[in-house]
Amino acid sequence: MKPGQWVVAGVSVAHQHASVEDLEAAAAPSQRDAVGNLLTEPGIEEAFVLQTCNRVEGYVVAGSEDVANAALENVFHTDNEDSAVQMSHEESLRHLLRVAAGLESVVLGEDQIMGQISDAYEDALGVGGIGPVLEDAVTKAIRVGERARNETAINEGALSLATAAVKLATQEGEIDGKTALVVGAGEMATLAAKSLADTVDKLLIANRTIPHAEHIAAVTDVDASAIGLDAIPQAVDHARIVVAATGSRQPVVPAIAFEDAGETFVVDIAQPRDVPAAVREHDNVTLCDLDALETVTEETRAERREAALVVEDIVDVEFDRLLTQYKRSRADRVISAMYESAERVKAKELDTALSKTDLDAETEAVVESMADSIVSQLLAAPTQSLRDAAEDDDWSTIHTALQLFDPDFGPSEDEDGPPAFVEGMAIEDIPAGMREQMPSAVLEQLDD
Protein backbone atom coordinates (compact mmCIF):
# COMPACT_ATOMS: atom_id res chain seq x y z
CA MET A 1 0.00 0.00 0.00
CA LYS A 2 1.57 3.27 -1.14
CA PRO A 3 1.78 6.31 1.16
CA GLY A 4 -1.55 8.13 1.34
CA GLN A 5 -3.49 5.36 -0.42
CA TRP A 6 -5.77 3.75 2.19
CA VAL A 7 -9.37 3.64 3.39
CA VAL A 8 -11.14 2.56 6.55
CA ALA A 9 -14.19 0.29 6.31
CA GLY A 10 -16.33 -1.31 8.98
CA VAL A 11 -19.15 -3.72 9.69
CA SER A 12 -21.61 -3.55 12.57
CA VAL A 13 -23.77 -6.34 13.96
CA ALA A 14 -25.58 -4.53 16.76
CA HIS A 15 -28.79 -4.56 18.80
CA GLN A 16 -30.54 -2.01 16.54
CA HIS A 17 -30.64 -4.43 13.61
CA ALA A 18 -29.49 -7.81 14.95
CA SER A 19 -30.98 -10.43 17.24
CA VAL A 20 -29.16 -12.21 20.03
CA GLU A 21 -28.71 -15.16 17.66
CA ASP A 22 -27.14 -12.87 15.05
CA LEU A 23 -24.71 -11.51 17.63
CA GLU A 24 -23.72 -15.00 18.69
CA ALA A 25 -23.11 -16.05 15.08
CA ALA A 26 -20.94 -13.02 14.32
CA ALA A 27 -18.83 -13.13 17.50
CA ALA A 28 -15.38 -14.70 17.58
CA PRO A 29 -14.04 -16.56 20.63
CA SER A 30 -12.28 -13.31 21.55
CA GLN A 31 -11.55 -9.86 20.19
CA ARG A 32 -7.91 -10.82 19.76
CA ASP A 33 -8.92 -13.82 17.66
CA ALA A 34 -11.15 -11.68 15.45
CA VAL A 35 -8.40 -9.10 14.90
CA GLY A 36 -5.92 -11.88 14.10
CA ASN A 37 -8.35 -13.35 11.57
CA LEU A 38 -8.77 -9.99 9.85
CA LEU A 39 -5.02 -9.45 9.65
CA THR A 40 -4.60 -12.73 7.76
CA GLU A 41 -6.97 -11.49 5.04
CA PRO A 42 -5.23 -10.25 1.85
CA GLY A 43 -4.55 -6.53 1.79
CA ILE A 44 -5.51 -5.75 5.39
CA GLU A 45 -3.00 -3.45 7.08
CA GLU A 46 -4.76 -2.70 10.39
CA ALA A 47 -7.75 -4.11 12.27
CA PHE A 48 -9.85 -3.34 15.35
CA VAL A 49 -12.74 -5.39 16.75
CA LEU A 50 -15.26 -4.48 19.45
CA GLN A 51 -17.38 -7.27 20.95
CA THR A 52 -19.83 -6.48 23.74
CA CYS A 53 -23.09 -8.00 24.90
CA ASN A 54 -25.04 -5.98 22.31
CA ARG A 55 -22.62 -5.41 19.43
CA VAL A 56 -19.97 -7.11 17.31
CA GLU A 57 -18.07 -4.66 15.10
CA GLY A 58 -14.95 -4.76 12.97
CA TYR A 59 -12.90 -1.96 11.43
CA VAL A 60 -10.06 -2.43 8.95
CA VAL A 61 -7.58 -0.37 6.95
CA ALA A 62 -6.82 -1.44 3.38
CA GLY A 63 -5.76 -0.01 0.04
CA SER A 64 -9.34 -0.03 -1.29
CA GLU A 65 -12.89 -0.34 0.01
CA ASP A 66 -13.46 -3.52 -2.02
CA VAL A 67 -10.50 -5.24 -0.34
CA ALA A 68 -11.64 -4.06 3.09
CA ASN A 69 -15.25 -5.21 2.60
CA ALA A 70 -14.18 -8.62 1.30
CA ALA A 71 -12.11 -9.20 4.43
CA LEU A 72 -14.94 -8.13 6.74
CA GLU A 73 -17.42 -10.40 4.96
CA ASN A 74 -15.04 -13.35 5.29
CA VAL A 75 -14.59 -12.90 9.04
CA PHE A 76 -18.04 -11.77 10.26
CA HIS A 77 -20.75 -14.28 9.40
CA THR A 78 -24.46 -14.24 10.22
CA ASP A 79 -27.39 -16.16 8.78
CA ASN A 80 -29.34 -12.91 8.56
CA GLU A 81 -27.79 -10.67 5.91
CA ASP A 82 -29.69 -7.63 7.19
CA SER A 83 -28.03 -7.91 10.60
CA ALA A 84 -24.56 -6.99 9.31
CA VAL A 85 -24.38 -3.34 8.25
CA GLN A 86 -21.37 -2.44 6.13
CA MET A 87 -19.92 1.03 6.60
CA SER A 88 -17.82 3.07 4.20
CA HIS A 89 -14.76 5.14 5.14
CA GLU A 90 -16.55 8.13 6.65
CA GLU A 91 -19.54 6.10 7.88
CA SER A 92 -17.33 3.75 9.88
CA LEU A 93 -15.31 6.55 11.46
CA ARG A 94 -18.38 8.54 12.47
CA HIS A 95 -20.05 5.38 13.79
CA LEU A 96 -17.07 4.56 16.02
CA LEU A 97 -17.23 8.04 17.55
CA ARG A 98 -20.97 7.65 18.16
CA VAL A 99 -20.44 4.29 19.83
CA ALA A 100 -17.88 5.75 22.22
CA ALA A 101 -20.20 8.67 22.98
CA GLY A 102 -22.93 6.24 24.05
CA LEU A 103 -25.29 7.30 21.26
CA GLU A 104 -25.50 3.75 19.88
CA SER A 105 -25.93 1.95 23.22
CA VAL A 106 -29.04 0.15 24.42
CA VAL A 107 -28.92 2.49 27.41
CA LEU A 108 -28.26 5.91 25.92
CA GLY A 109 -25.04 7.40 27.29
CA GLU A 110 -24.04 4.39 29.42
CA ASP A 111 -20.45 4.46 30.67
CA GLN A 112 -19.42 0.82 30.26
CA ILE A 113 -18.71 1.23 26.57
CA MET A 114 -15.70 3.43 27.35
CA GLY A 115 -13.93 0.64 29.20
CA GLN A 116 -14.96 -1.84 26.53
CA ILE A 117 -13.41 0.27 23.77
CA SER A 118 -10.21 0.65 25.79
CA ASP A 119 -10.05 -3.12 26.31
CA ALA A 120 -10.66 -3.72 22.60
CA TYR A 121 -7.86 -1.29 21.76
CA GLU A 122 -5.45 -3.17 24.02
CA ASP A 123 -6.51 -6.49 22.48
CA ALA A 124 -5.96 -5.20 18.94
CA LEU A 125 -2.66 -3.61 19.90
CA GLY A 126 -1.49 -6.88 21.43
CA VAL A 127 -1.83 -8.77 18.14
CA GLY A 128 -0.50 -6.04 15.87
CA GLY A 129 -3.83 -4.66 14.66
CA ILE A 130 -3.28 -1.02 15.58
CA GLY A 131 -1.31 1.13 13.15
CA PRO A 132 -1.22 4.90 12.59
CA VAL A 133 -4.69 5.08 11.03
CA LEU A 134 -6.66 3.19 13.68
CA GLU A 135 -4.51 4.67 16.43
CA ASP A 136 -5.89 8.07 15.45
CA ALA A 137 -9.44 6.74 15.08
CA VAL A 138 -9.68 4.87 18.39
CA THR A 139 -7.96 7.58 20.44
CA LYS A 140 -10.29 10.13 18.88
CA ALA A 141 -13.27 7.93 19.81
CA ILE A 142 -12.10 7.78 23.41
CA ARG A 143 -11.68 11.55 23.37
CA VAL A 144 -15.26 11.96 22.12
CA GLY A 145 -16.55 9.62 24.82
CA GLU A 146 -14.79 11.63 27.51
CA ARG A 147 -16.10 14.94 26.18
CA ALA A 148 -19.65 13.57 25.96
CA ARG A 149 -19.66 12.58 29.61
CA ASN A 150 -17.69 15.53 30.98
CA GLU A 151 -19.51 18.26 29.07
CA THR A 152 -23.10 16.97 28.98
CA ALA A 153 -25.62 15.05 31.09
CA ILE A 154 -25.73 12.12 28.66
CA ASN A 155 -24.88 9.69 31.47
CA GLU A 156 -26.89 11.41 34.20
CA GLY A 157 -28.41 8.88 36.57
CA ALA A 158 -27.22 5.39 37.42
CA LEU A 159 -29.01 3.36 34.74
CA SER A 160 -26.75 0.92 32.89
CA LEU A 161 -27.49 -2.30 31.05
CA ALA A 162 -27.08 -4.20 34.32
CA THR A 163 -29.30 -1.87 36.34
CA ALA A 164 -31.85 -1.92 33.51
CA ALA A 165 -31.98 -5.67 33.95
CA VAL A 166 -32.76 -5.24 37.64
CA LYS A 167 -35.34 -2.57 36.86
CA LEU A 168 -37.04 -4.95 34.43
CA ALA A 169 -37.13 -7.61 37.12
CA THR A 170 -38.78 -5.29 39.64
CA GLN A 171 -41.38 -4.30 37.05
CA GLU A 172 -42.22 -7.92 36.29
CA GLY A 173 -42.47 -9.24 39.83
CA GLU A 174 -41.96 -8.59 43.53
CA ILE A 175 -38.35 -9.12 44.60
CA ASP A 176 -38.28 -7.16 47.87
CA GLY A 177 -36.92 -9.38 50.61
CA LYS A 178 -36.16 -12.20 48.19
CA THR A 179 -32.93 -13.98 47.24
CA ALA A 180 -31.13 -13.09 44.02
CA LEU A 181 -28.46 -14.98 42.09
CA VAL A 182 -25.88 -13.15 39.98
CA VAL A 183 -23.83 -15.30 37.64
CA GLY A 184 -20.48 -13.74 36.73
CA ALA A 185 -17.94 -11.44 38.35
CA GLY A 186 -17.18 -8.85 35.67
CA GLU A 187 -18.23 -5.23 35.44
CA MET A 188 -21.82 -5.95 34.40
CA ALA A 189 -22.26 -8.58 37.10
CA THR A 190 -20.84 -6.20 39.71
CA LEU A 191 -23.25 -3.43 38.71
CA ALA A 192 -26.18 -5.86 38.80
CA ALA A 193 -25.17 -7.12 42.25
CA LYS A 194 -24.90 -3.61 43.66
CA SER A 195 -28.28 -2.68 42.20
CA LEU A 196 -29.95 -5.82 43.56
CA ALA A 197 -28.45 -5.24 47.00
CA ASP A 198 -30.80 -2.28 47.45
CA THR A 199 -33.87 -4.54 47.19
CA VAL A 200 -33.23 -8.19 48.00
CA ASP A 201 -32.40 -9.70 51.40
CA LYS A 202 -29.82 -12.20 50.23
CA LEU A 203 -27.45 -12.28 47.29
CA LEU A 204 -25.59 -15.24 45.80
CA ILE A 205 -22.64 -14.59 43.46
CA ALA A 206 -21.65 -17.53 41.25
CA ASN A 207 -18.40 -17.55 39.33
CA ARG A 208 -15.83 -19.99 38.02
CA THR A 209 -13.17 -18.20 40.11
CA ILE A 210 -14.65 -18.00 43.60
CA PRO A 211 -12.27 -15.29 44.94
CA HIS A 212 -13.60 -12.94 42.27
CA ALA A 213 -17.14 -13.65 43.41
CA GLU A 214 -16.06 -13.11 47.01
CA HIS A 215 -14.79 -9.66 46.08
CA ILE A 216 -18.21 -8.66 44.76
CA ALA A 217 -19.92 -10.13 47.81
CA ALA A 218 -17.67 -8.02 50.01
CA VAL A 219 -18.54 -4.73 48.31
CA THR A 220 -22.34 -5.14 48.35
CA ASP A 221 -24.37 -3.82 51.26
CA VAL A 222 -26.43 -6.99 51.81
CA ASP A 223 -26.04 -10.55 53.04
CA ALA A 224 -23.98 -11.95 50.14
CA SER A 225 -22.19 -15.25 49.54
CA ALA A 226 -19.84 -16.50 46.82
CA ILE A 227 -20.38 -19.91 45.20
CA GLY A 228 -18.88 -21.90 42.35
CA LEU A 229 -20.63 -22.59 39.06
CA ASP A 230 -21.33 -26.18 40.13
CA ALA A 231 -23.57 -24.85 42.90
CA ILE A 232 -25.86 -22.95 40.52
CA PRO A 233 -28.65 -25.62 40.46
CA GLN A 234 -28.97 -25.48 44.24
CA ALA A 235 -28.84 -21.65 44.18
CA VAL A 236 -31.63 -21.46 41.59
CA ASP A 237 -33.92 -23.32 43.98
CA HIS A 238 -33.68 -20.39 46.39
CA ALA A 239 -33.49 -17.46 43.98
CA ARG A 240 -36.46 -15.33 42.88
CA ILE A 241 -34.34 -13.49 40.32
CA VAL A 242 -31.31 -14.60 38.33
CA VAL A 243 -29.08 -12.16 36.43
CA ALA A 244 -26.48 -13.82 34.19
CA ALA A 245 -23.53 -11.83 32.84
CA THR A 246 -20.41 -13.93 32.25
CA GLY A 247 -18.00 -13.92 29.34
CA SER A 248 -18.27 -17.65 28.77
CA ARG A 249 -18.51 -19.02 25.24
CA GLN A 250 -20.96 -21.69 26.44
CA PRO A 251 -24.10 -21.51 28.62
CA VAL A 252 -23.16 -21.78 32.30
CA VAL A 253 -26.66 -22.07 33.78
CA PRO A 254 -28.13 -25.49 32.83
CA ALA A 255 -31.77 -25.59 31.82
CA ILE A 256 -32.34 -28.58 34.10
CA ALA A 257 -31.59 -26.34 37.10
CA PHE A 258 -35.04 -24.74 36.73
CA GLU A 259 -37.12 -27.93 36.61
CA ASP A 260 -38.00 -27.96 40.29
CA ALA A 261 -37.49 -24.26 40.98
CA GLY A 262 -40.28 -21.95 42.02
CA GLU A 263 -41.31 -18.88 40.09
CA THR A 264 -38.09 -17.42 38.75
CA PHE A 265 -37.36 -14.31 36.71
CA VAL A 266 -34.17 -14.62 34.62
CA VAL A 267 -32.38 -11.79 32.84
CA ASP A 268 -29.55 -12.90 30.58
CA ILE A 269 -27.33 -9.98 29.50
CA ALA A 270 -24.39 -12.15 28.47
CA GLN A 271 -23.10 -12.45 24.93
CA PRO A 272 -23.16 -15.29 24.02
CA ARG A 273 -26.05 -16.30 26.27
CA ASP A 274 -25.41 -17.84 29.67
CA VAL A 275 -28.91 -19.34 29.93
CA PRO A 276 -30.14 -21.67 27.15
CA ALA A 277 -33.39 -20.65 25.47
CA ALA A 278 -34.82 -24.04 26.46
CA VAL A 279 -35.62 -22.72 29.96
CA ARG A 280 -38.63 -20.97 28.41
CA GLU A 281 -40.26 -24.38 28.25
CA HIS A 282 -40.66 -24.28 32.03
CA ASP A 283 -43.89 -22.52 33.02
CA ASN A 284 -42.32 -21.26 36.21
CA VAL A 285 -39.53 -19.36 34.41
CA THR A 286 -39.65 -15.97 32.70
CA LEU A 287 -36.52 -15.45 30.58
CA CYS A 288 -35.62 -12.01 29.26
CA ASP A 289 -32.62 -11.21 27.11
CA LEU A 290 -31.13 -8.06 25.57
CA ASP A 291 -34.07 -7.57 23.24
CA ALA A 292 -36.45 -7.28 26.21
CA LEU A 293 -34.38 -4.49 27.76
CA GLU A 294 -35.19 -2.11 24.91
CA THR A 295 -38.57 -1.22 26.46
CA VAL A 296 -37.03 -0.56 29.88
CA THR A 297 -34.34 1.73 28.52
CA GLU A 298 -36.67 3.87 26.39
CA GLU A 299 -37.59 5.98 29.44
CA THR A 300 -33.95 6.75 30.09
CA ARG A 301 -33.43 7.50 26.40
CA ALA A 302 -36.21 10.09 26.52
CA GLU A 303 -34.73 11.73 29.61
CA ARG A 304 -31.29 11.98 28.02
CA ARG A 305 -32.44 13.04 24.54
CA GLU A 306 -31.66 16.74 25.08
CA ALA A 307 -28.12 15.92 26.17
CA ALA A 308 -27.80 13.59 23.20
CA LEU A 309 -28.35 16.53 20.83
CA VAL A 310 -25.34 18.28 22.35
CA VAL A 311 -23.30 15.09 22.08
CA GLU A 312 -24.24 14.86 18.39
CA ASP A 313 -22.65 18.28 17.92
CA ILE A 314 -19.51 17.11 19.72
CA VAL A 315 -19.33 14.10 17.41
CA ASP A 316 -19.69 16.35 14.35
CA VAL A 317 -16.87 18.64 15.47
CA GLU A 318 -14.48 15.85 16.40
CA PHE A 319 -15.34 13.90 13.24
CA ASP A 320 -14.35 16.88 11.09
CA ARG A 321 -11.13 17.21 13.07
CA LEU A 322 -10.35 13.54 12.53
CA LEU A 323 -10.87 13.83 8.77
CA THR A 324 -8.61 16.90 8.67
CA GLN A 325 -6.03 15.01 10.70
CA TYR A 326 -6.12 12.16 8.18
CA LYS A 327 -5.87 14.55 5.24
CA ARG A 328 -2.76 16.14 6.69
CA SER A 329 -1.34 12.73 7.47
CA ARG A 330 -1.88 11.54 3.91
CA ALA A 331 -0.23 14.66 2.53
CA ASP A 332 2.68 14.28 4.95
CA ARG A 333 3.26 10.71 3.81
CA VAL A 334 3.31 11.78 0.17
CA ILE A 335 5.65 14.62 1.09
CA SER A 336 7.90 12.17 2.92
CA ALA A 337 8.00 9.93 -0.15
CA MET A 338 8.82 12.96 -2.27
CA TYR A 339 11.74 13.98 -0.07
CA GLU A 340 13.03 10.41 0.13
CA SER A 341 12.99 10.17 -3.66
CA ALA A 342 14.75 13.50 -4.07
CA GLU A 343 17.28 12.53 -1.42
CA ARG A 344 18.21 9.36 -3.29
CA VAL A 345 18.72 11.28 -6.53
CA LYS A 346 20.72 13.96 -4.74
CA ALA A 347 22.95 11.39 -3.04
CA LYS A 348 23.63 9.57 -6.33
CA GLU A 349 24.43 12.78 -8.19
CA LEU A 350 26.68 13.98 -5.38
CA ASP A 351 28.60 10.71 -5.35
CA THR A 352 29.06 10.92 -9.11
CA ALA A 353 30.21 14.55 -9.03
CA LEU A 354 32.53 14.19 -6.04
CA SER A 355 34.14 11.07 -7.50
CA LYS A 356 35.30 13.16 -10.45
CA THR A 357 36.87 15.92 -8.35
CA ASP A 358 39.64 16.18 -5.81
CA LEU A 359 38.06 18.41 -3.20
CA ASP A 360 39.14 18.66 0.40
CA ALA A 361 36.72 17.65 3.17
CA GLU A 362 35.69 21.23 3.93
CA THR A 363 34.82 21.96 0.31
CA GLU A 364 32.91 18.69 -0.05
CA ALA A 365 30.88 19.67 2.99
CA VAL A 366 30.01 22.99 1.35
CA VAL A 367 28.92 21.23 -1.85
CA GLU A 368 26.78 18.77 0.11
CA SER A 369 25.18 21.61 2.05
CA MET A 370 24.43 23.42 -1.20
CA ALA A 371 22.79 20.27 -2.60
CA ASP A 372 20.64 19.94 0.54
CA SER A 373 19.61 23.58 0.24
CA ILE A 374 18.67 23.19 -3.44
CA VAL A 375 16.49 20.15 -2.68
CA SER A 376 14.77 21.94 0.21
CA GLN A 377 14.07 25.06 -1.82
CA LEU A 378 12.82 23.12 -4.84
CA LEU A 379 10.46 21.03 -2.72
CA ALA A 380 9.19 23.84 -0.49
CA ALA A 381 6.51 25.00 -2.93
CA PRO A 382 5.18 21.54 -3.85
CA THR A 383 5.17 20.65 -0.14
CA GLN A 384 2.82 23.52 0.63
CA SER A 385 0.75 22.74 -2.49
CA LEU A 386 0.27 19.14 -1.35
CA ARG A 387 -0.84 20.23 2.11
CA ASP A 388 -3.28 22.71 0.59
CA ALA A 389 -4.55 20.02 -1.80
CA ALA A 390 -5.20 17.66 1.12
CA GLU A 391 -7.15 20.33 3.00
CA ASP A 392 -9.24 21.01 -0.13
CA ASP A 393 -9.88 17.31 -0.85
CA ASP A 394 -7.95 17.68 -4.10
CA TRP A 395 -6.90 14.05 -4.28
CA SER A 396 -6.12 14.19 -7.99
CA THR A 397 -3.15 16.40 -7.14
CA ILE A 398 -2.14 14.03 -4.36
CA HIS A 399 -2.32 11.03 -6.68
CA THR A 400 -0.35 12.86 -9.38
CA ALA A 401 2.35 13.55 -6.82
CA LEU A 402 2.34 9.90 -5.80
CA GLN A 403 2.95 8.89 -9.39
CA LEU A 404 5.70 11.45 -9.96
CA PHE A 405 7.40 11.04 -6.63
CA ASP A 406 6.98 7.30 -6.17
CA PRO A 407 9.31 5.75 -3.54
CA ASP A 408 11.10 4.14 -6.51
CA PHE A 409 11.61 7.53 -8.14
CA GLY A 410 15.01 8.06 -9.68
CA PRO A 411 17.52 5.65 -11.18
CA SER A 412 18.28 2.51 -9.18
CA GLU A 413 21.78 1.42 -8.29
CA ASP A 414 22.18 -0.41 -11.60
CA GLU A 415 20.35 2.11 -13.79
CA ASP A 416 21.67 5.27 -15.40
CA GLY A 417 18.49 6.25 -17.21
CA PRO A 418 15.39 8.11 -16.07
CA PRO A 419 12.81 6.38 -13.85
CA ALA A 420 10.42 4.00 -15.57
CA PHE A 421 7.34 6.19 -15.22
CA VAL A 422 8.83 8.96 -17.45
CA GLU A 423 10.54 6.78 -20.03
CA GLY A 424 9.31 7.63 -23.52
CA MET A 425 7.87 10.97 -22.39
CA ALA A 426 8.86 14.28 -23.90
CA ILE A 427 9.78 17.09 -21.55
CA GLU A 428 6.73 19.08 -22.65
CA ASP A 429 4.49 16.17 -21.59
CA ILE A 430 5.50 16.65 -17.96
CA PRO A 431 3.61 19.40 -16.08
CA ALA A 432 5.72 22.55 -15.79
CA GLY A 433 5.44 22.67 -12.01
CA MET A 434 6.72 19.10 -11.73
CA ARG A 435 9.52 19.69 -14.25
CA GLU A 436 10.86 22.39 -11.95
CA GLN A 437 11.01 19.85 -9.12
CA MET A 438 12.79 17.08 -11.05
CA PRO A 439 16.57 16.63 -10.87
CA SER A 440 18.51 18.16 -13.77
CA ALA A 441 20.15 14.81 -14.55
CA VAL A 442 16.77 13.30 -15.35
CA LEU A 443 15.68 16.27 -17.45
CA GLU A 444 18.91 16.18 -19.43
CA GLN A 445 18.42 12.52 -20.27
CA LEU A 446 14.82 13.18 -21.32
CA ASP A 447 16.00 16.07 -23.48
CA ASP A 448 18.52 13.78 -25.20
Side-chain angles (χ1 to χ4, degrees):
M1 192 166 65
K2 291 184 178 181
Q5 294 179 306
W6 53 263
V7 296
V8 177
V11 64
S12 173
V13 182
H15 64 94
Q16 295 97 329
H17 39 77
S19 66
V20 174
E21 290 79 9
D22 295 327
L23 290 167
E24 290 178 346
S30 72
Q31 292 174 155
R32 294 171 67 94
D33 288 342
V35 172
N37 292 338
L38 286 170
L39 292 176
T40 63
E41 291 290 320
I44 299 303
E45 301 290 329
E46 303 178 33
F48 172 76
V49 173
L50 175 64
Q51 293 188 174
T52 72
C53 57
N54 53 46
R55 71 182 58 254
V56 177
E57 296 183 346
Y59 302 80
V60 295
V61 177
S64 74
E65 194 165 299
D66 288 343
V67 170
N69 287 335
L72 291 168
E73 289 176 4
N74 287 340
V75 172
F76 296 95
H77 307 283
T78 65
D79 294 330
N80 177 12
E81 293 182 359
D82 295 334
S83 68
V85 177
Q86 288 191 325
M87 300 176 290
S88 63
H89 178 74
E90 293 193 4
E91 288 173 337
S92 60
L93 293 171
R94 181 184 289 276
H95 179 78
L96 180 58
L97 303 192
R98 289 177 56 82
V99 169
L103 294 174
E104 298 290 334
S105 297
V106 174
V107 179
L108 184 66
E110 54 91 7
D111 293 336
Q112 285 70 47
I113 189 63
M114 291 291 291
Q116 291 164 341
I117 289 177
S118 295
D119 290 343
Y121 169 80
E122 293 296 334
D123 285 341
L125 188 66
V127 293
I130 301 296
V133 178
L134 290 181
E135 174 75 30
D136 289 344
V138 179
T139 54
K140 174 64 72 174
I142 293 173
R143 162 69 175 159
V144 167
E146 292 171 345
R147 283 197 61 190
R149 290 159 180 83
N150 292 335
E151 299 175 23
T152 77
I154 189 70
N155 62 337
E156 191 173 83
L159 189 61
S160 65
L161 195 59
T163 53
V166 176
K167 183 175 181 180
L168 179 61
T170 58
Q171 290 176 352
E172 295 293 328
E174 180 62 44
I175 65 172
D176 285 352
K178 305 295 184 179
T179 296
L181 168 64
V182 174
V183 184
E187 183 179 15
M188 286 293 184
T190 302
L191 290 172
K194 289 181 177 179
S195 181
L196 285 166
D198 295 332
T199 306
V200 301
D201 274 1
K202 184 174 179 58
L203 191 59
L204 302 174
I205 314 293
N207 195 55
R208 180 171 287 104
T209 306
I210 293 182
H212 293 170
E214 290 174 338
H215 173 74
I216 297 179
V219 298
T220 54
D221 189 21
V222 70
D223 179 14
S225 303
I227 62 175
L229 296 182
D230 57 349
I232 286 178
Q234 291 77 22
V236 168
D237 287 341
H238 303 285
R240 175 66 179 80
I241 176 175
V242 177
V243 177
T246 77
S248 173
R249 297 301 303 169
Q250 302 293 332
V252 296
V253 183
I256 195 174
F258 296 91
E259 281 189 351
D260 299 322
E263 186 177 355
T264 310
F265 188 83
V266 182
V267 185
D268 189 352
I269 55 176
Q271 174 54 45
R273 287 174 288 194
D274 282 334
V275 183
V279 302
R280 288 193 172 98
E281 298 175 4
H282 300 303
D283 295 336
N284 58 318
V285 177
T286 301
L287 173 62
C288 294
D289 54 23
L290 292 169
D291 296 334
L293 294 180
E294 294 278 3
T295 55
V296 180
T297 59
E298 183 53 38
E299 180 181 344
T300 299
R301 183 171 293 274
E303 293 171 353
R304 297 179 177 180
R305 197 156 284 150
E306 184 175 345
L309 295 176
V310 180
V311 175
E312 294 277 10
D313 291 337
I314 292 175
V315 169
D316 289 342
V317 170
E318 295 292 352
F319 174 70
D320 288 341
R321 288 175 178 171
L322 179 60
L323 291 187
T324 298
Q325 185 177 338
Y326 278 146
K327 291 173 184 178
R328 290 173 178 167
S329 175
R330 283 180 171 179
D332 287 345
R333 290 174 189 175
V334 176
I335 291 166
S336 176
M338 181 174 68
Y339 273 88
E340 289 174 6
S341 300
E343 182 64 27
R344 283 195 293 273
V345 173
K346 181 208 76 175
K348 183 174 179 62
E349 295 301 320
L350 267 178
D351 289 343
T352 300
L354 293 178
S355 67
K356 298 177 180 179
T357 62
D358 188 20
L359 303 178
D360 58 39
E362 184 176 350
T363 305
E364 284 190 1
V366 171
V367 173
E368 290 180 3
S369 178
M370 179 185 68
D372 289 337
S373 178
I374 291 172
V375 169
S376 295
Q377 292 183 55
L378 284 173
L379 297 185
T383 294
Q384 186 58 52
S385 295
L386 287 171
R387 287 176 175 155
D388 291 344
E391 291 281 351
D392 296 336
D393 286 329
D394 180 7
W395 297 110
S396 62
T397 297
I398 298 291
H399 292 154
T400 298
L402 275 170
Q403 292 174 332
L404 289 170
F405 293 99
D406 187 272
D408 296 327
F409 174 84
S412 63
E413 293 297 326
D414 56 355
E415 289 181 328
D416 294 323
F421 65 81
V422 296
E423 284 185 352
M425 295 175 63
I427 290 181
E428 59 267 25
D429 294 330
I430 302 174
M434 291 301 177
R435 287 203 303 270
E436 295 173 1
Q437 302 160 22
M438 296 177 69
S440 59
V442 173
L443 293 176
E444 288 172 2
Q445 293 179 62
L446 289 172
D447 192 36
D448 291 341

